Amino acid sequence: MPTDAESACFEAGIKFGSLYHQFAGTPVSPKSAESLGRAMEESIENQPYCVDVDVDVRTDRIAEVLASQSAEYTELTGRFIDVEMRVEYEGVTVRTRMEMDGDYPRMKLVAVEA
């Protein structure tokens, strides 16, 4: 049987997988970034054990991409979002973060607190 801490970490991983793969490819622009970030937060916070999600849609990075193309939007990828999440399961709090690690959006544990 997994420990409560292991189960809490598993729950955090499920939430990140859902967040990333549900929204990857969504059209995004600097104008829609804030509302998209809120929708992502609210969507994931509906899931069991998830108590807080903070999504920062990086309009600075979006603007850089848009400066080199004619379209007024781009597709959401990990390079455009920084995410922090808190999951609580059976008395264990898991804090996680997703941020770019080179060219890869790395989802990682920040803390596991019993």
Side-chain angles (χ1 to χ4, degrees), residues 1-11 89-92 94 112 114:
M1 290 293 296
T3 67
D4 288 342
E6 290 167 336
S7 294
C9 291
F10 174 80
E11 288 294 335
Y89 178 86
E90 299 296 324
V92 177
V94 173
V112 178

Side-chain angles (χ1 to χ4, degrees), residues 92-111:
V92 177
T93 299
V94 173
R95 297 179 191 282
T96 62
R97 179 178 301 129
M98 184 183 87
E99 58 194 5
M100 292 304 291
D101 182 3
D103 291 335
Y104 184 77
R106 177 136 342 253
M107 301 165 200
K108 60 185 176 182
L109 288 170
V110 174

Side-chain angles (χ1 to χ4, degrees), residues 62-76:
I62 294 169
E64 288 175 13
V65 168
L66 295 182
S68 65
Q69 65 184 40
S70 60
E72 295 181 11
Y73 73 94
T74 190
E75 294 180 2
L76 186 71

Side-chain angles (χ1 to χ4, degrees), residues 43-55:
S43 173
I44 302 307
E45 286 172 350
N46 283 323
Q47 295 186 29
Y49 313 113
C50 188
V51 295
D52 188 47
V53 179
D54 182 38
V55 177

Side-chain angles (χ1 to χ4, degrees), residues 3 8 12 14 17 22 32 35 52 55 57-58 60 63 65 72 76 79 83 86 91-92 96 102 105 107:
T3 67
I14 293 296
Q22 179 178 347
S32 67
S35 63
D52 188 47
V55 177
V57 181
R58 299 287 304 268
D60 57 330
V65 168
E72 295 181 11
L76 186 71
R79 70 187 277 204
V83 181
R86 189 174 83 236
V92 177
T96 62
M107 301 165 200

